[in-house]
Structures are given as C-alpha cells and as structure tokens.
Amino acid sequence: AENEPSWETPCSKLLVYVSTPGCDGFPSLDSKESYKLSVSKGSMLLSAETIWGALRGLETFSQLVGRDENGTYYINETQIVDFPRFPHRGLLLDTSRHYLPLRAILETLDVMAYNKFNVFHWHIVDDPSFPYESSTFPELSKQGAFNAMTHVYTASDVSTVIEYARLRGIRVIAEFDTPGHTLSWGPGAPGLLTPCYIGKTRSGVYGPINPIVNSSYQFVTSLFQEVSTVFPDYFLHLGGDEVDFTCWKSNPEIRAFMVDVGFGEDYKKLESFYIQRLLDIVSSLGKGYIVWQEVFDNDVKLRPDTIIHVWKESNLQYIKEMANVTRAGYRALLSAPWYLNRISYGQDWIEAYKVEPLSFEGSPEQKALVMGGEACMWGEYVDVTNLTPRLW
Amino acid sequence: HLIVTEPVAILKASEVWGALRGLETFSQLVHEDDYGSFLVNESEINDFPRFAHRGILLDTSRHYLPLKSILTNLDAMAFNKFNVLHWHIVDDQSFPYQSIYFPELSDKGAYSSNLIYTPTDVRLVIEYARLRGIRVIPEFDTPGHTQSWGKGQKDLLTPCYSGGQPTGSFGPVNPVWNTTYDFMAKFFKEISSVFPDEFIHLGGDEVDFSCWKSNPEVKEFMKKQGFGTDYAKLESYYVQNILDIVSSYNKGQMVWQEVFDHKAQLKPDTVVQVWMANNYAHELSSVTGAGFTAVLSAPWYLDYISYGQDWKKYYSVEPLNFPGSEKQKKLLIGGEACLWGEFVDGTNLTPRLWPRASAVGERLWSSSNVTNLQDAYRRLTNHRCRMLRRGIAAEPVFVGYCTHEAR
C-alpha cells in the first residue's frame, strides 16, 4: 500500500571511509573529529577525515537505530554533517579522595564515548591518598595509598586505562597537582614537604612541597620524567591550585630565604618561583601543560601555549576570568560552572546546560582561545557506589 | 538482653522481634582481626528502642522500583533497626499496584504492563519484611495525588470545568458521587485483606481545590451541605467517609498532617504524619495537644539532597523538642525518613538512601543523649563499610576507604 513503510532489502552494511590512516595513534587536541553520515535506501555511508571522526560518527549512527513494536531494528533516511564546537570536551575523576576500582574508570570511559567526551582528566593523587604506583619512587604508593595492596593503580592498570580510552578516541591527561595538595606524597618522600613550625619547634605537620631545597626539584624532575613516558598525551596537568601559605610562613628557613631573594612577605612570589621551575622542567621533557587558574592569577611566567583551567565559581567570577585569561593570550578551559560533585535537589542539568562558555566580553580572537571545558566530579563524597548515577 | 561470655553468648528477648534486633547487634559486635579470625568482646547489653515507629518511605509511583531494589532496601533497613516500610505505592504519575477487584487500575495506570506489583510481588515484600521484623504500611493517597487512578477507573475523579464546559482534565477524587464511596469501600476491603498490618495510610495531602471549585455539581453540593466556600470542609467530609470505611474493616489509619490541619474528625487512634518543614515543632504541639499520635518526617526528607555531610543535620534533630507536656511527648511515637521518587529509581536508590538514613535510624532508636557528632562519624563510617560488605551500595560519608570496597 502507498503509505506503509516499505521494509525492502534490510540495510545490513554501514560503509566506513576514513581518509587519513591512524588506527595506531593517539588522539590529540588537534585531532579532527568531524564526520559525514549518509543513510538512504540501499546504502549507508560514514565518512571522516580521521579515525576519531569515524568513532564519533559510529556513536551517532548507533543512536539513530530504533526498534519498532515488532522488535525490528530500523533507521530513518538521514544526512548528517557533524563536528564538535570545542576540541577539548573533558571529564575529571578524582581517585585520591576515594579510590576508584579500574572497572569504575573503564565504565566511565564507555559512557564518555556515548556522550562524545574526548578527554579523561585523571586527578590521580592528592592530599588523602597516593594510589599511583611509581616505578621510580615505589615508596610513594607504598606509604601513601589508602592500602598499598588493594587501593593502587599498577603500571598495568594505568596502561589499561590509556588503551581503553584510546580505542574510544579519549585522551588521558594525568594531573599530578603540586606544590599544594601533596600531603600523601610526604610519607613516601621524606624531606619533600615543608615541615611546619610552631614558634621555633617543628609541629610535626607538613605543608606544600618545600620550594627552597634542590632536592624538591630533583624529585619532581625524576617523577615527571616517569610520568611523561607513562602518559603519551602531549599535555600534563600540573595543578598549582589552593596553595596554603601558612606552613611556608611558619618555617624559619623559608622566611630566611624570602628575605635573601627579596620576596619580602609576598608568598605568591615563592609559589611562582616553584611553579616556574616546575614548568621549565616539564617543558624540557617535551610536554605541554595545563594549570589551574591560580597559576595565571599569581602572575607566574608561562609559556605561550599554556592552557589555563578556570575553576573558581563564586559570584560568577569565572566569566571575568575567561576574559582575562584569553585577553592575556592564553588558551582556556572552563570548569567553574560544571562542578558536578556539588549536587543539589532537582533538575540541575538545566543550569549546566544553560552555560554559554563564550559569554564573556572579548574579541573573536580571544574567544577562539577557549579550547572547551571539563565537567568535574571531585571525590570527597563519591566512590564506585554512587559515581555513575551522580555523573550521568 | 545480650550477654557475651565464654563459652556461650546468650540473647534473651520477650518477643521474637527483640531477638531479631539483638541478633543484628550481635552481628555488629563480631569483628575480624588481621589474620582473618572472627572475634567478639565480652559484653553485656540491655537495649530497647526509644521510639516504636522507625520508618522509611519509598515512592513507587514517580518511578517504578524493581522488587530487588525494595528487598535490598529491607535488608539495609534491618541492618539499621528500622521497623516500618511506608510504601507510598501509587500517586499521580503511575499506578503499579495490581488490584484484584479493579485490574484496570494498573492495566491503564501503570507506566507499562511490566512495571507493576502483582499480588505475588506484594506478598513477597510483606513476608520478606516480616522476617526482618519490619511492618509494611501501604499508602493509597486520596483524594489528591490520584491522576493515575482515573485512567483505569471511569467516573472517579472530578471533571474540571472552564466557562461552563468540561475541559477534559481531571482533579482530585470526586467527593459528591455515591459511586466514589462504593468504589473506595470495595477497594479498601481488598487493601485491608492484602496488607496484614493494623494500619493503612490514607494520605490526604496537598489537595488542590481549584478543580472542585470549577465543577458545577461540586459547587451545588457545597451549597446543599452548607459548607459555603470553605473547600477544606468538603475535603474533610470526604476524608471522614474514607476513615469510616477503613475503620469498618478494623484497620487503624495514618494520615498526612493536612487532614488534621483542616479539622476533619479523626478517630482517636489516627496517626498524624507531620511533614511540612515550616515550624514543624509547632505542628507537633498541636497534633499531640489535640490528643493524637504523631509521626515525624518534616526534617527527614532525604530526597532533598545537598552537597556535603548532610547526615549531620538529620542526626541533630531532637524529635521531642517541641512545647508540650510529658503526656503529649509520649504521643510522638517515632518518625520516618522519606525518599520521594521524583529523582530516584533503581539506579540510585541505595546510595541516596544509605548511609544518610542510618543517622535517622540511630536518632529514633538510641537514647536522647547519644548526640556526639564525632563519635557518630566514627561509627557511621564503620557502619557504612559494614553495609558494603553485606552488599548494600551505601555511598561514602567523607574522604577515605573501606578495606572491602563495593564489588
């Protein structure tokens, strides 16, 4: 009859055409993810410049397939030309506040692929625990993990994550946050952290990495040498957020150093002193870096290809920050309005959806410096029991 | 009464329900040493609950909850000494309860034909709960919250009018037709026999009067009854009839606070559930002052999630902090942590409910002087890891780890 859908020869093949080979490579910030999908009677064609575009197209194709009341799979005739607005679409997981078993990370990577995310920002260590098994410094996880046998990521675990992500067109950007957020580094690296003082005596408590001793720089050089080889992405996230100056201020050697170098009482200068040396170390290892916004806010001298990660949210300050960062010529990533760990009652997805990353005052050149953003799932209240329903 | 010595431990209780609670405590006293041996310290415990009604409300209308979810939750409730499952089984959005007398109710009112609770399912829940010392109190909320009832039962809900014409939409149950009460009599006869607990929750909350006000028959009825323009009187008229019906089946009734607030004539043993957060202490005074038993839920709406350790605010509630005599305070028989279902289904129920509800559980069981937050934190994190070991995916309290993580 005229109006019945004609289930003719069922479509059985999707032809995938990729113009640039690259199945063995890794995705990067510059990867082209565009694709064309053409579905018509008799032929289904997916074409993309790169394998990464083909992956995105396959995801779209899989979402176009429907099922009718009889159980028959069908797909509508359709023409799609698709490409991402932003090249960096990331998700942050925190495996220090709570250890996340491998399967939780792999499951997250699957769902990221379903949602066309392409960056897994692995905030792997922090104050509470150090689950990363370092081959150069095995004591770090031996002393710093919640449990060195059961709550660690072995080298094999890490390469599993990297490969699982790669197959889904997802970059893995590891974050080893310093000089703050490093309490768990202390037990396995004696002498690394600043000893805090009460008056003239050590209090027994430790603070950020000690920026005035050469051993600290030797240590981070060796560690980042390892991290640079383990993680193939061009970028490393170096952290640099929320450095608490109280411990540094309490330490008499540091106070003496501040006088010697003429920093006075401006501890931001000491923080910059550390960060600058760290950035030089990391670039000499051939890596690019992403840093949290404090590094920019505190006037640290940065390489022009540094990416600034904007996260501070109160009073919508992030809109001004995006303008400032891009006006200074740096590329920016937006996370501030997307802290998904900050749950609230109701359909909060709406607020996240309404965010317009480019809604700041700036020239088109500035806006072109926004690489994208990241949804962050900090782990204070999150582990494998509630990660997936909280994120998705 | 639990005595642990060598070579035996003795658990004595006057009823089997006490034995269940004692067994739970005993199981929590057993711990594992570093070599994997199980140990229990010599102890002597005399324990009893502070409040007799310690409940969890689950909503299976806003989202269908698979049986497995409900049963897992009953396990978790037992681990936390909760003893009432308040099953808010139907509401506006869906009617998953498969009625024997009125099969059309779920045929037309459930989300879909497989998202229902058959009589076997219901019996399973009741028995699973019973074996854990948990009462199942069903709630069939009327006259509001009944949109889904109208799909399978013609001429039950009030047709709304606009400009003298029916609009096609419906409001609360129609209180002026005799057929309404014929239906309710038959329906609650079934419910009374299906659910063995002495009490049935009849709802009575959030009745929107606008549809009633628009309906000419209802307006006519109001005039005849001399209710004037006070629709709360019409609501009370309806509720009183339902209370009579349910009483005739020898069931006690629980109602939401509006039923009391709108001055319906309640039976002396009606239990009033106080849920409105604004000034609930005042409401507790009024309810108990009028001689009625009360159950507190207002500060324990666990569906109202927020960032951080909100268990502390649930733990810090002191239910008897309301102006009243000793006699009045005795009328507050307990409380219920409510997990309304607008944003909850099988994918997130367990981590959202536990261990936050554990804070409510302790508040309702333990003595009023057990209030130290640091001590509670230590025990709560421990208890959370215990629940994980037992297969309850309770979410973390704060930063840290369990030796046996969730699988």
Side-chain angles (χ1 to χ4, degrees):
Chain A
E2 267 303 327
N3 294 323
E4 265 179 31
S6 45
W7 306 126
E8 297 169 6
T9 11
C11 358
S12 56
K13 261 201 291 233
L14 171 70
L15 280 171
V16 182
Y17 176 71
V18 178
S19 48
T20 326
C23 277
D24 295 331
F26 283 92
S28 74
L29 181 58
D30 311 309
S31 294
K32 296 201 171 52
E33 297 174 282
S34 56
Y35 65 91
K36 287 197 177 84
L37 185 59
S38 171
V39 176
S40 57
K41 259 186 272 199
S43 92
M44 302 191 291
L45 175 64
L46 165 62
S47 61
E49 229 185 285
T50 69
I51 189 73
W52 317 116
L55 284 178
R56 304 302 167 230
L58 279 172
E59 179 55 44
T60 297
F61 177 77
S62 74
Q63 294 185 20
L64 290 173
V65 178
R67 207 169 180 193
D68 68 14
E69 330 73 73
N70 304 314
T72 313
Y73 292 99
Y74 67 88
I75 184 169
N76 288 349
E77 255 189 87
T78 183
Q79 300 290 322
I80 293 176
V81 175
D82 197 11
F83 55 91
R85 183 180 175 200
F86 293 105
H88 183 119
R89 305 179 305 283
L91 196 75
L92 178 151
L93 285 187
D94 168 1
T95 56
S96 175
R97 277 55 181 265
H98 283 97
Y99 179 77
L100 290 176
L102 207 55
R103 69 174 174 94
I105 299 178
L106 301 182
E107 182 178 274
T108 303
L109 290 168
D110 277 338
V111 192
M112 283 172 68
Y114 303 157
N115 289 272
K116 295 195 174 72
F117 278 95
N118 65 357
V119 175
F120 170 42
H121 173 168
W122 194 349
H123 187 92
I124 188 168
V125 298
D126 201 299
D127 283 330
S129 77
F130 196 104
Y132 171 75
E133 254 183 16
S134 161
S135 51
T136 324
F137 300 108
E139 287 298 305
L140 284 173
S141 61
K142 270 224 192 88
Q143 307 285 337
F146 281 137
N147 180 309
M149 298 297 290
T150 53
H151 291 58
V152 287
Y153 301 108
T154 63
S156 160
D157 292 336
V158 174
S159 49
T160 300
V161 169
I162 293 172
E163 179 62 4
Y164 201 89
R166 188 188 76 83
L167 292 173
R168 286 152 182 75
I170 297 170
R171 303 162 53 201
V172 179
I173 300 183
E175 178 185 349
F176 285 85
D177 192 353
T178 69
H181 286 279
T182 45
L183 281 180
S184 67
W185 302 43
L192 176 69
L193 304 183
T194 310
C196 313
Y197 279 69
I198 299 184
K200 294 209 173 83
T201 36
R202 291 196 174 189
S203 65
V205 171
Y206 292 88
I209 290 184
N210 194 331
I212 69 169
V213 289
N214 277 331
S215 51
S216 295
Y217 300 99
Q218 281 153 12
F219 177 86
V220 298
T221 303
S222 303
L223 180 66
F224 278 101
Q225 225 152 26
E226 173 188 320
V227 169
S228 300
T229 8
V230 169
F231 292 93
D233 198 82
Y234 173 67
F235 284 93
L236 286 176
H237 201 301
L238 303 179
D241 61 316
E242 299 180 311
V243 184
D244 185 353
F245 297 148
T246 357
C247 187
W248 282 352
K249 286 182 184 168
S250 77
N251 184 298
E253 282 166 39
I254 292 189
R255 278 206 307 273
F257 179 86
M258 290 288 284
V259 169
D260 281 346
V261 296
F263 286 166
E265 292 295 315
D266 190 355
Y267 282 79
K268 280 202 192 150
K269 293 204 165 101
L270 183 58
E271 179 190 40
S272 304
F273 174 79
Y274 167 85
I275 298 268
Q276 244 132 235
R277 285 180 71 169
L278 175 66
L279 298 183
D280 287 341
I281 290 167
V282 172
S283 16
S284 69
L285 292 169
K287 292 291 200 190
Y289 40 75
I290 309 176
V291 289
W292 295 110
Q293 68 178 76
E294 285 96 320
V295 173
F296 168 79
D297 296 343
N298 294 347
D299 291 317
V300 177
K301 231 183 9 223
L302 300 169
R303 272 216 320 229
D305 67 344
T306 311
I307 300 185
I308 311 291
H309 201 159
V310 177
W311 70 272
K312 289 183 170 180
E313 214 251 314
S314 50
N315 300 323
L316 298 175
Q317 58 178 282
Y318 70 87
I319 301 180
K320 266 225 186 74
E321 182 75 1
M322 294 292 281
N324 291 341
V325 167
T326 52
R327 197 181 317 115
Y330 298 108
R331 288 179 293 180
L333 285 179
L334 182 60
S335 279
W338 291 324
Y339 265 35
L340 303 191
N341 56 307
R342 298 200 133 260
I343 57 171
S344 58
Y345 179 71
Q347 293 193 57
D348 54 358
W349 70 271
I350 296 179
E351 284 314 297
Y353 192 77
K354 284 205 251 190
V355 173
E356 173 36 68
L358 301 186
S359 71
F360 58 91
E361 296 206 5
S363 65
E365 292 75 36
Q366 269 178 264
K367 308 230 168 167
L369 291 173
V370 178
M371 295 289 97
E374 292 187 0
C376 298
M377 185 49 77
W378 294 102
E380 285 83 352
Y381 303 100
V382 176
D383 76 359
V384 68
T385 57
N386 61 355
L387 172 70
T388 300
R390 186 159 293 194
L391 250 190
W392 308 103
Chain B
H1 185 208
L2 178 62
I3 308 172
V4 181
T5 56
E6 279 184 284
V8 289
I10 301 178
L11 168 61
K12 280 197 258 200
S14 56
E15 292 181 21
V16 69
W17 316 115
L20 284 178
R21 305 302 168 227
L23 280 171
E24 179 55 44
T25 297
F26 179 74
S27 75
Q28 295 187 19
L29 292 174
V30 176
H31 56 277
E32 213 179 330
D33 72 9
D34 294 333
Y35 303 99
S37 303
F38 290 99
L39 311 165
V40 61
N41 289 352
E42 246 191 274
S43 10
E44 181 167 358
I45 294 176
N46 270 302
D47 199 10
F48 57 91
R50 182 180 174 202
F51 292 103
H53 183 118
R54 306 179 303 283
I56 297 282
L57 179 151
L58 288 186
D59 168 1
T60 56
S61 174
R62 275 58 179 263
H63 284 96
Y64 178 80
L65 291 178
L67 219 50
K68 181 153 186 255
S69 238
I70 299 179
L71 300 181
T72 303
N73 193 63
L74 286 168
D75 280 337
M77 284 171 66
F79 302 156
N80 290 269
K81 296 194 174 71
F82 277 95
N83 65 357
V84 174
L85 172 65
H86 173 166
W87 192 351
H88 187 92
I89 186 168
V90 299
D91 202 299
D92 282 328
Q93 287 84 351
S94 76
F95 197 105
Y97 173 75
Q98 189 176 54
S99 160
I100 304 153
Y101 286 157
F102 302 101
E104 294 270 286
L105 285 171
S106 61
D107 276 353
K108 299 268 164 54
Y111 276 137
S112 79
S113 52
N114 60 330
L115 298 181
I116 59 170
Y117 302 107
T118 63
T120 313
D121 294 334
V122 173
R123 249 176 278 139
L124 174 56
V125 171
I126 293 172
E127 178 63 4
Y128 200 89
R130 187 187 77 83
L131 291 173
R132 287 153 184 73
I134 298 170
R135 302 163 52 200
V136 177
I137 300 182
E139 178 185 347
F140 287 90
D141 191 355
T142 71
H145 287 280
T146 44
Q147 289 297 298
S148 66
W149 299 52
K151 306 250 163 73
Q153 184 69 14
K154 289 265 134 351
D155 302 327
L156 176 68
L157 304 182
T158 312
C160 309
Y161 277 68
S162 177
Q165 294 300 318
T167 64
S169 50
F170 298 88
V173 169
N174 195 320
V176 319
W177 290 332
N178 285 332
T179 47
T180 295
Y181 302 104
D182 294 336
F183 167 81
M184 289 297 171
K186 198 154 183 226
F187 184 76
F188 278 104
K189 181 158 189 247
E190 172 183 323
I191 301 307
S192 300
S193 73
V194 168
F195 292 90
D197 197 83
E198 198 197 318
F199 281 82
I200 298 181
H201 200 302
L202 303 175
D205 62 315
E206 298 181 314
V207 183
D208 184 351
F209 296 151
S210 39
C211 186
W212 281 353
K213 284 180 183 169
S214 76
N215 182 294
E217 270 184 89
V218 174
K219 282 198 289 231
E220 183 59 41
F221 185 84
M222 287 287 286
K223 237 197 284 182
K224 262 209 282 235
Q225 295 285 321
F227 291 158
T229 49
D230 190 355
Y231 282 79
K233 292 205 167 98
L234 180 59
E235 179 196 276
S236 299
Y237 166 86
Y238 168 84
V239 168
Q240 262 146 223
N241 278 331
I242 304 301
L243 295 179
D244 284 341
I245 289 171
V246 172
S247 279
S248 74
Y249 300 131
N250 284 320
K251 291 292 193 185
Q253 304 103 39
M254 272 185 80
V255 292
W256 294 109
Q257 68 179 76
E258 286 98 317
V259 173
F260 167 82
D261 295 341
H262 296 166
K263 304 192 190 346
Q265 235 168 355
L266 305 174
K267 309 278 174 244
D269 60 350
T270 308
V271 179
V272 178
Q273 189 162 8
V274 175
W275 69 272
M276 292 177 161
N278 202 5
N279 216 348
Y280 66 84
H282 181 252
E283 181 74 4
L284 287 177
S285 294
S286 308
V287 170
T288 54
F292 294 107
T293 342
V295 158
L296 179 61
S297 282
W300 291 322
Y301 264 36
L302 301 196
D303 57 312
Y304 282 164
I305 58 170
S306 59
Y307 180 67
Q309 292 192 55
D310 57 356
W311 70 271
K312 292 185 182 174
K313 79 172 178 228
Y314 301 135
Y315 191 77
S316 303
V317 172
E318 173 38 66
L320 297 187
N321 258 356
F322 64 91
S325 64
E326 277 302 302
K327 201 161 158 247
Q328 268 176 270
K329 306 233 168 165
K330 285 210 173 72
L331 291 175
L332 179 56
I333 56 169
E336 289 186 2
C338 299
L339 196 69
W340 294 104
E342 284 85 349
F343 304 100
V344 175
D345 75 359
T347 59
N348 62 355
L349 172 77
T350 303
R352 188 161 290 193
L353 194 52
W354 308 100
R356 292 191 308 141
S358 303
V360 181
E362 175 153 303
R363 179 54 51 234
L364 291 173
W365 176 283
S366 299
S367 297
S368 58
N369 62 354
V370 179
T371 53
N372 183 287
L373 280 173
Q374 279 96 296
D375 183 65
Y377 175 85
R378 186 187 52 83
R379 289 179 296 105
L380 184 62
T381 46
N382 223 311
H383 186 55
R384 182 253 169 178
C385 292
R386 176 184 295 122
M387 287 196 277
L388 276 196
R389 286 197 299 276
R390 297 180 179 185
I392 306 293
E395 64 176 14
V397 177
F398 191 49
V399 172
Y401 72 108
C402 295
T403 36
H404 303 89
E405 296 287 359
R407 239 151 275 105

